[in-house]
Amino acid sequence: MLPLIKRDITLALRSGGGFGLALAFFLILILFVPFGVGPDRVLLATIAPGILWIGALLSCLLSLDRIFQLDAEDGTLDALATAPIPLTGLATAKAAAHWITTGLPLTVASAPLGYLLGLPSTGYLWLIASLAIGTLSLSFLGMFGAAVTVGIKRGGLLLSLLVLPLYIPTLILGAQTVTRAINGDNPTATLAFLAGLTLLTVALIPFAASMALRANLR
Amino acid sequence: MLPLIKRDITLALRSGGGFGLALAFFLILILFVPFGVGPDRVLLATIAPGILWIGALLSCLLSLDRIFQLDAEDGTLDALATAPIPLTGLATAKAAAHWITTGLPLTVASAPLGYLLGLPSTGYLWLIASLAIGTLSLSFLGMFGAAVTVGIKRGGLLLSLLVLPLYIPTLILGAQTVTRAINGDNPTATLAFLAGLTLLTVALIPFAASMALRANLR
Amino acid sequence: MFTVKNITAQRGPRAILQNVSFSLAAGDCLILRGPNGSGKTTLLRTLAGLSPPSAGEINVNPEDIVYTAHLDAVKPQLTVAENIVFWHGIYQTAQSDTLKRFNLTDLAQRDAATLSAGQKRRLGLARLHISGCKIWLLDEPTTALDADHVAEFAQILTDHCASGGIAVVSTHLELPLPNAQTLDITQFAPTETHADPFLEGSF
Amino acid sequence: MFTVKNITAQRGPRAILQNVSFSLAAGDCLILRGPNGSGKTTLLRTLAGLSPPSAGEINVNPEDIVYTAHLDAVKPQLTVAENIVFWHGIYQTAQSDTLKRFNLTDLAQRDAATLSAGQKRRLGLARLHISGCKIWLLDEPTTALDADHVAEFAQILTDHCASGGIAVVSTHLELPLPNAQTLDITQFAPTETHADPFLEGSF
Amino acid sequence: MSLWEYANPVKFMALSGRVLPFATLLAASCLFTGLIWGFFFTADDFKQGSTVKIIFLHVPAAMMAINIWIMMLIASLIWLIRRHHVSALAARAAAPIGITMTLIALFTGAIWGKPMWGTYWAWDPRLTSFIILFVFYLGYNALWAAVDDDDTAADLTSILCMVGSVFALLSRYAVNLWNNGLHQSATLTVTERSPIDASYYTPLLICIAGFILLFITLVLLRTRTHIRLRRTRALLARGSA
Amino acid sequence: MIPDLGKYATDVLSAYAIAILLLVALVAVSLRQSAKARKALQDAEQRAKP
Ligand code: HEM
Ligand SMILES: Nc1ncnc2c1ncn2[C@@H]1O[C@H](COP(=O)(O)OP(=O)(O)OP(=O)(O)O)[C@@H](O)[C@H]1O
Ligand SMILES: Nc1ncnc2c1ncn2[C@@H]1O[C@H](COP(=O)(O)OP(=O)(O)OP(=O)(O)O)[C@@H](O)[C@H]1O
Ligand SMILES: [Mg+2]
Ligand SMILES: [Mg+2]
């Protein structure tokens, strides 16, 4: 599994990879919001937690179809499936690599972008914590979606459609955590919920994903 | 060119195509906004024009990488480039097919989704008009981005990055049109600007795109 | 009808072949020979007009040319028949006995995604016939074909040339083409003159 | 060591081959023969464990198997050497003389994207050597290879079997493999018994 | 003789062919009776006026929308565990019915909301959950349409249905948290309403029965369609070997 | 014939209209698909026989 994670990170750093790109996409998305809704600072600060979370989620979404599809297209997935590593391991490695190359940088970038939107200072810690935990669950769910759609050429849009509904609880809990922190409510409960959700996802999704991969390789 | 448009529409309607999917993606995106920023009706109505425009833009964005990449991967693009149709014609046909399968349905769907966000009733007409005109320009600009990135495997994210800055004028003019209509200002000027922008795009972009294609096929 | 004078064929920054010249008249068939990596694909892409030669000139009407590459240009989501109709539309030719000539009649209603490697290749080659073009540029056309179909395709190629067509074929296999000329492209391997401006001089 | 008993190989809803049986011992090499679309790829995928047989049984340790398909499993963004290191990591084997054996030494630092068809295929085949597996399942391994490299690969295959390995090879070409058995798979074409429950009875 | 026998396509076609006319008749008569009764022969509610008549469409549709998803989940599990083709196809056949039911519940609810709450749409947890359910249906249906190979499609959609069910449930709880957490002026919610008057009870029950029967009829019909299509594909594939 | 629906007449009627329209559409689509599938199968059986 380690060589796989290492290779995926290398590929993400190479040309056409997704490392800096997800970040840049996040940046542009956040910049788009003032263009769309207008530059009112109070308004922007109010919607900042939600927008940051949605932005991170969409940036994450956009790199999902790379997870398995590239490997499927050049025959690597067949070769990996017949190599002596279990499919659940493969699935976990893929999701982990995705999180390292996407979720982690997004989390780090969220703080300065939050400042651009005028996020109140009480929110930053909770924003970073919720994103760090939440994007892990997003990566695993996204990996599941990628496993389901791996047989479909350029299935990016279908993948999004399948994955986005699964993202709803994570989004709600994540954005709520930050909103509550800003409003002076106690955000620990929602963050704990979020952590539980992530744990559940990380524990169970690899099995579902390996079933989907198995079916798709047939 | 006509067989090409016809085929692209057929492919979009076939399995894994993007026809209904862009719509569904749009729906979920709009759904995500209240989850992120909270269900406050006044707040939602204020940001509705911007969010609707950004949503349509992102839905459009997600199907861009299909425009040329699928054809490049199975060798069809090489074959088309050596066939007796000019590359500008190819580019125009591709953008037109993309608009028919994406921009048009998004425009139609924007009205009911606007209602979900509580868009004031004065805005609908202008929303639809600005989207109908604006998405055409989005399709052509997106096609250009797709032509530039066609050599890059799974270049979806890079493509988004290249295209998003090009989308900014369209987004501003489009969202402004709707916002003005809602605020009781006169939106015809911005809409006229938008139409001019679209005209310019449709007239010039195919040439740029054909140059990019030529370079990428080398 | 198809003359090539001293062209340099380029791939990325590298000149792969230099001073390639030949001249083909109606009815000629040219087989390109050379080991892996010698530049057959590069030359064919240059001839097809996909990458312009960095030197020399090609005299031919691009509209006469049809090119089949390592990839098949087959749309997996369309059926075999739909693929054929599409290319007829692009080349604006009338439909004819393509299905039969390439032994695809039984497969006509199948999605191209479900074809075997050889069946897909046959569908890819059918584009030659559909195009109605005089000059065929073929890059290892018989890959994945079984012995019978190789023979059949050689016959199609012979017929094409016999009726005044021209073909340039790269292949590693022996094709039964009685009247074909052979061109060993290893002779065009570039000498030490640099095509890349960054290799000139020293700094 | 590798026995297959009465298996039915399936592709989509269709049974493509029925009652396939054979038994291979260390040192055996089996060549699968059959025209396009007869089911060679289908059989190899079934043997590799990618699509389970819908009937019959395969007795083999899946860890012993390495499979090369029509596609090369080569990452274009990595260099040749990096591709090789990656597969060593996956199979957890030590690095050895792979580059030399597959004639890739000169290309080691090149991005795999810039390889020619034959060079890429060689890199794909290198995985066999890297894996250290005993049983090789090969689907038209010599596609795109030139004559010299076909001979060289046949030698590698012969060596593998001579040292106690097993190989199952589908090919349309004549490979110089002195001790190979041949299996004509057209004999396994399914008879009128239906594997598909939707073909039973009538309604 | 076990129930599983009818998971065989031939048996299922025979049985469903016999059941279908009766189911159709029953469904039609129940729907007819229930809706006519509800629409023409119930008194107006003192608070809601005539809008209360919408209940005869809204409630059955809302119930079916949820229950059809549960039926699909069960059918999917049967496919994954016992690999009965008819079960997978029944799940596929049910999805569009579920989508329609969800739409009916949404539309009738929205129309009802205008006179009751003064708006067609509010981000009430219950309503929101319904849109989420709608999206799950869309994704499930799109996946069926996108995968070419039938068995693979059955596998993938079943897995999606399983995972989706878990997350649909989680969404339901998350949505509750989301809207209660904000100080939103939820003036009237679906849950805080006076219990149904007895005179509406019988026609409502008949309507619910009608919707259930309609669902059964349509599932049988649509499953038969999919079985036929499967067989057609199998015949074509065999013919062109 | 139509009972007095009071001031909510349009609401109630449009609710019924939309719901019944959707149901009828679903039934119609199902029937049409069924007929098409039946015919396609018949054709296929015909072709498979000889
Ligand atoms: C778009 C808006 C609406 C949606 C999506 C919606 C959805 C639902 C759902 C999911 C149920 C539960 C069905 C069940 O499991 O029994 C339900 C029941 C019900 N709804 Fe709505 N509803 C909406 C608007 C309304 C409005 C405006 C009213 C009237 C003021 C209303 C009145 C009722 C009633 C009376 C029930 C029956 C509850 C029961 O017996 O448990 N709904 N609706
Ligand atoms: N983008 C590139 N940059 C640098 N070198 C390249 C590039 N693409 C191909 N080459 C090299 O150019 C040479 C010629 O490649 P080409 O594909 O034309 O060979 P070929 O004769 O078709 O070989 P084969 O028989 O294997 O298909 C090869 O050595 C190859 O490695
Ligand atoms: N998904 C599918 N559904 C139905 N039939 C299929 C599917 N995939 C392949 N087939 C058919 O199965 C048969 C066997 O295909 P297979 O790829 O095994 O042939 P092959 O012997 O490898 O041929 P080739 O020499 O051309 O590679 C072919 O007739 C093919 O058309
Ligand atoms: Mg080549
Ligand atoms: Mg094969």
Side-chain angles (χ1 to χ4, degrees):
Chain A
M1 269 168 62
L2 226 61
L4 205 62
I5 297 183
K6 228 176 89 189
R7 186 205 63 161
D8 271 17
I9 295 175
T10 314
L11 288 177
L13 293 170
R14 287 280 156 89
S15 64
F19 195 65
L21 295 182
L23 269 183
F25 184 75
F26 190 27
L27 173 71
I28 300 191
L29 214 64
I30 298 302
L31 288 182
F32 263 46
V33 174
F35 286 130
V37 307
D40 179 356
R41 286 193 65 79
V42 181
L43 183 66
L44 284 178
T46 322
I47 62 175
I51 296 295
L52 284 168
W53 249 95
I54 294 176
L57 191 152
L58 289 176
S59 313
C60 182
L61 193 75
L62 236 79
S63 49
L64 289 182
D65 68 338
R66 308 175 63 91
I67 296 187
F68 289 114
Q69 199 78 1
L70 276 174
D71 280 348
E73 276 165 15
D74 58 21
T76 306
L77 193 59
D78 280 352
L80 284 172
T82 53
I85 42 170
L87 276 184
T88 44
L90 174 67
T92 312
K94 283 286 183 178
H98 183 261
W99 183 72
I100 293 171
T101 55
T102 314
L104 205 55
L106 286 179
T107 306
V108 173
S110 65
L113 291 181
Y115 190 79
L116 282 187
L117 292 180
L119 185 77
S121 58
T122 42
Y124 289 93
L125 196 70
W126 297 99
L127 177 69
I128 290 179
S130 69
L131 275 177
I133 297 171
T135 49
L136 189 62
S137 135
L138 297 187
S139 283
F140 272 80
L141 288 172
M143 180 274 294
F144 168 69
V148 168
T149 54
V150 72
I152 300 155
K153 285 228 158 198
R154 300 272 132 191
L157 212 48
L158 177 64
L159 169 57
S160 315
L161 182 58
L162 298 185
V163 163
L164 281 180
L166 302 178
Y167 278 1
I168 290 176
T170 311
L171 169 65
I172 293 179
L173 292 172
Q176 274 295 306
T177 305
V178 188
T179 312
R180 289 188 176 207
I182 292 175
N183 294 348
D185 298 335
N186 186 354
T188 40
T190 40
L191 192 66
F193 263 124
L194 183 63
L197 182 71
T198 303
L199 231 66
L200 187 82
T201 314
V202 172
L204 294 184
I205 283 293
F207 294 97
S210 80
M211 278 166 74
L213 280 177
R214 187 59 65 221
N216 267 322
L217 287 171
R218 250 206 320 261
Chain B
M1 269 170 63
L2 224 61
L4 206 61
I5 297 185
K6 228 177 91 190
R7 186 206 62 159
D8 270 19
I9 295 176
T10 313
L11 287 177
L13 292 170
R14 285 282 156 89
S15 62
F19 196 65
L21 296 181
L23 272 184
F25 183 75
F26 192 23
L27 169 70
I28 305 190
L29 220 62
I30 298 304
L31 187 62
F32 268 37
V33 175
F35 288 148
V37 306
D40 180 355
R41 289 185 64 81
V42 180
L43 184 65
L44 285 177
T46 321
I47 61 176
I51 295 295
L52 285 166
W53 251 95
I54 295 178
L57 190 151
L58 288 176
S59 311
C60 181
L61 197 73
L62 235 78
S63 48
L64 290 182
D65 68 337
R66 307 175 63 92
I67 295 186
F68 290 114
Q69 199 76 0
L70 276 173
D71 280 348
E73 276 164 15
D74 57 22
T76 305
L77 193 60
D78 280 352
L80 283 173
T82 52
I85 42 170
L87 277 183
T88 46
L90 174 67
T92 313
K94 284 286 183 179
H98 182 260
W99 184 72
I100 294 172
T101 55
T102 315
L104 204 56
L106 286 179
T107 306
V108 174
S110 65
L113 292 181
Y115 191 82
L116 285 189
L117 292 181
L119 185 77
S121 57
T122 43
Y124 290 93
L125 197 69
W126 298 98
L127 177 69
I128 290 179
S130 68
L131 274 177
I133 297 170
T135 48
L136 190 61
S137 133
L138 297 187
S139 284
F140 272 81
L141 289 171
M143 180 273 294
F144 169 67
V148 170
T149 54
V150 72
I152 299 156
K153 284 229 157 198
R154 299 271 132 194
L157 212 48
L158 178 63
L159 168 57
S160 314
L161 222 56
L162 292 182
V163 165
L164 279 180
L166 302 179
Y167 278 1
I168 289 180
T170 312
L171 171 67
I172 294 179
L173 290 173
Q176 270 299 306
T177 306
V178 188
T179 312
R180 289 189 170 215
I182 292 174
N183 295 345
D185 300 333
N186 186 355
T188 39
T190 40
L191 192 67
F193 263 125
L194 183 64
L197 182 70
T198 302
L199 231 67
L200 189 80
T201 317
V202 172
L204 296 184
I205 283 292
F207 295 97
S210 81
M211 280 165 69
L213 279 178
R214 183 64 62 222
N216 267 324
L217 287 172
R218 249 204 319 262
Chain C
M1 244 192 94
F2 185 12
T3 39
V4 166
K5 252 190 239 146
N6 291 322
I7 61 167
T8 299
Q10 188 104 1
R11 193 68 169 271
R14 281 175 58 200
I16 306 282
L17 298 172
Q18 252 175 4
N19 285 321
V20 184
S21 302
F22 58 79
S23 165
L24 300 173
D28 284 351
C29 177
L30 183 70
I31 295 185
L32 302 179
R33 288 263 170 209
N36 288 147
S38 55
K40 300 177 296 299
T41 301
T42 309
L43 179 56
L44 284 170
R45 284 182 73 86
T46 308
L47 297 179
L50 286 170
S51 58
S54 54
E57 60 180 283
I58 304 176
N59 281 320
V60 69
N61 177 2
E63 306 245 316
D64 283 344
I65 288 183
V66 59
Y67 163 68
T68 67
H70 284 303
L71 292 167
D72 286 316
V74 162
K75 270 286 152 227
Q77 300 98 322
L78 300 181
T79 65
V80 171
E82 284 170 337
N83 267 293
I84 288 177
V85 168
F86 168 64
W87 285 112
H88 273 298
I90 292 294
Y91 284 100
Q92 306 200 291
T93 50
Q95 292 181 45
S96 60
D97 59 341
T98 313
L99 278 172
K100 228 182 79 215
R101 283 200 77 169
F102 288 83
N103 202 358
L104 293 165
T105 323
D106 289 345
L107 302 169
Q109 297 314 317
R110 279 264 288 278
D111 276 355
T114 69
L115 298 182
S116 82
Q119 292 164 340
K120 198 163 144 242
R121 165 85 1 179
R122 256 143 58 202
L123 178 52
L125 294 174
R127 190 159 48 85
L128 297 170
H129 192 240
I130 292 167
S131 73
C133 292
K134 283 232 179 88
I135 304 178
W136 290 6
L137 304 180
L138 311 174
D139 201 354
E140 295 188 46
T142 57
T143 306
L145 292 187
D146 59 28
D148 289 353
H149 284 108
V150 170
E152 232 166 84
F153 182 69
Q155 188 56 46
I156 290 175
L157 207 53
T158 315
D159 291 352
H160 173 67
C161 292
S163 65
I166 292 179
V168 182
V169 189
S170 99
T171 180
H172 294 301
L173 308 176
E174 292 305 323
L175 288 182
L177 300 170
N179 299 319
Q181 306 153 239
T182 303
L183 186 70
D184 179 3
I185 63 161
T186 48
Q187 61 184 292
F188 304 120
T191 50
E192 222 28 83
T193 55
H194 306 299
D196 191 328
F198 290 91
L199 284 178
E200 281 167 32
S202 75
F203 40 83
Chain D
M1 241 192 97
F2 185 13
T3 40
V4 167
K5 253 190 238 145
N6 292 321
I7 62 167
T8 299
Q10 189 106 2
R11 194 71 170 269
R14 281 174 62 200
I16 307 282
L17 298 171
Q18 251 176 3
N19 284 320
V20 185
S21 302
F22 58 77
S23 166
L24 300 174
D28 284 352
C29 177
L30 183 70
I31 295 186
L32 303 178
R33 290 258 170 214
N36 287 147
S38 55
K40 299 177 297 298
T41 300
T42 309
L43 179 57
L44 285 169
R45 284 183 73 86
T46 308
L47 297 178
L50 286 170
S51 60
S54 53
E57 60 180 283
I58 302 176
N59 281 319
V60 69
N61 178 2
E63 306 244 315
D64 284 344
I65 288 183
V66 58
Y67 163 68
T68 67
H70 285 302
L71 292 167
D72 285 318
V74 161
K75 269 289 150 221
Q77 299 99 322
L78 300 181
T79 65
V80 171
E82 285 170 335
N83 267 293
I84 288 177
V85 168
F86 168 63
W87 286 111
H88 272 299
I90 292 294
Y91 284 101
Q92 308 201 288
T93 51
Q95 292 182 46
S96 60
D97 59 342
T98 314
L99 277 173
K100 228 182 79 216
R101 285 202 74 171
F102 288 84
N103 203 359
L104 293 166
T105 324
D106 291 344
L107 302 169
Q109 296 315 317
R110 280 262 290 276
D111 274 355
T114 68
L115 298 183
S116 82
Q119 293 164 340
K120 199 163 141 240
R121 166 79 13 173
R122 256 142 58 204
L123 178 52
L125 293 174
R127 190 159 49 85
L128 297 169
H129 192 241
I130 293 167
S131 74
C133 291
K134 283 231 180 86
I135 303 178
W136 292 5
L137 303 179
L138 311 175
D139 201 353
E140 295 189 45
T142 58
T143 305
L145 293 186
D146 59 29
D148 289 353
H149 284 107
V150 169
E152 232 166 84
F153 182 70
Q155 188 55 47
I156 290 174
L157 206 53
T158 314
D159 290 353
H160 173 68
C161 290
S163 66
I166 293 179
V168 181
V169 189
S170 98
T171 180
H172 293 302
L173 308 176
E174 292 305 324
L175 288 181
L177 300 170
N179 299 316
Q181 306 153 241
T182 303
L183 187 68
D184 178 5
I185 64 160
T186 49
Q187 63 183 291
F188 302 120
T191 50
E192 224 25 84
T193 55
H194 307 299
D196 191 331
F198 290 88
L199 285 178
E200 284 165 28
S202 74
F203 40 84
Chain E
M1 170 170 148
S2 92
L3 191 63
W4 295 119
E5 250 178 65
Y6 294 102
N8 167 288
V10 181
K11 285 257 171 58
F12 179 85
M13 287 303 276
L15 179 74
S16 62
R18 259 176 286 135
V19 171
L20 202 50
F22 296 102
T24 314
L25 211 71
L26 268 177
S29 46
C30 274
L31 272 179
F32 198 72
T33 321
L35 288 179
I36 296 281
W37 186 341
F39 188 75
F40 291 99
F41 304 110
T42 51
D44 290 354
D45 186 84
F46 76 98
K47 217 170 80 193
Q48 308 190 7
S50 62
T51 58
V52 75
K53 292 183 195 295
I54 297 177
I55 202 171
F56 304 111
L57 291 165
H58 177 76
V59 171
M63 282 177 64
M64 291 313 289
I66 295 167
N67 291 336
I68 290 174
W69 182 271
I70 295 171
M71 172 260 166
M72 280 162 45
L73 176 63
I74 294 168
S76 297
L77 288 174
I78 293 176
W79 160 255
L80 282 181
I81 295 163
R82 302 201 53 147
R83 300 200 89 69
H84 289 306
H85 289 81
V86 173
S87 180
L89 291 183
R92 175 176 198 177
I97 312 175
I99 292 182
T100 314
M101 292 299 169
T102 316
L103 278 176
I104 293 176
L106 278 171
F107 277 124
T108 53
I111 293 169
W112 202 352
K114 186 71 179 175
M116 289 302 105
W117 308 335
T119 175
Y120 288 111
W121 182 257
W123 290 101
D124 172 271
R126 194 171 210 172
L127 313 197
T128 310
S129 302
F130 242 60
I131 289 225
I132 297 175
L133 182 65
F134 182 62
V135 174
F136 272 104
Y137 269 123
L138 284 184
Y140 177 87
N141 211 40
L143 185 60
W144 262 113
V147 182
D148 297 317
D149 185 76
D150 296 287
D151 283 4
T152 308
D155 278 338
L156 295 176
T157 50
S158 300
I159 298 166
L160 180 74
C161 189
M162 255 168 34
V163 174
S165 301
V166 174
F167 278 80
L169 209 65
L170 285 171
S171 304
R172 182 68 232 243
Y173 288 113
V175 165
N176 268 331
L177 188 104
W178 159 72
N179 211 354
N180 294 348
L182 288 166
H183 314 288
Q184 201 239 5
S185 49
T187 39
L188 246 175
T189 59
V190 187
T191 36
E192 298 168 7
R193 113 193 70 73
S194 46
I196 302 171
D197 190 278
S199 67
Y200 305 123
Y201 203 67
T202 327
L204 182 58
L205 276 186
I206 298 177
C207 279
I208 291 174
F211 269 71
I212 294 174
L213 285 163
L214 177 69
F215 167 67
I216 292 173
T217 311
L218 285 173
V219 163
L220 288 181
L221 178 70
R222 298 181 61 88
T223 309
R224 287 166 65 81
T225 303
H226 283 298
I227 290 177
R228 288 204 174 97
L229 289 174
R230 257 311 274 272
R231 185 182 174 90
T232 311
R233 276 197 294 277
L235 284 171
L236 284 179
R238 189 186 60 177
S240 58
Chain F
M1 191 188 91
I2 290 179
D4 177 26
L5 295 169
K7 58 178 174 174
Y8 299 129
T10 37
D11 295 314
V12 178
L13 284 177
S14 59
Y16 271 76
I18 288 181
I20 288 171
L21 203 82
L22 279 169
L23 284 180
V24 168
L26 176 67
V27 171
V29 167
S30 301
L31 284 175
R32 215 183 62 133
Q33 286 174 341
S34 167
K36 262 172 114 177
R38 192 189 297 254
K39 196 175 158 300
L41 180 58
Q42 259 167 15
D43 290 353
E45 303 263 20
Q46 283 299 303
R47 233 178 302 158
K49 236 174 241 157

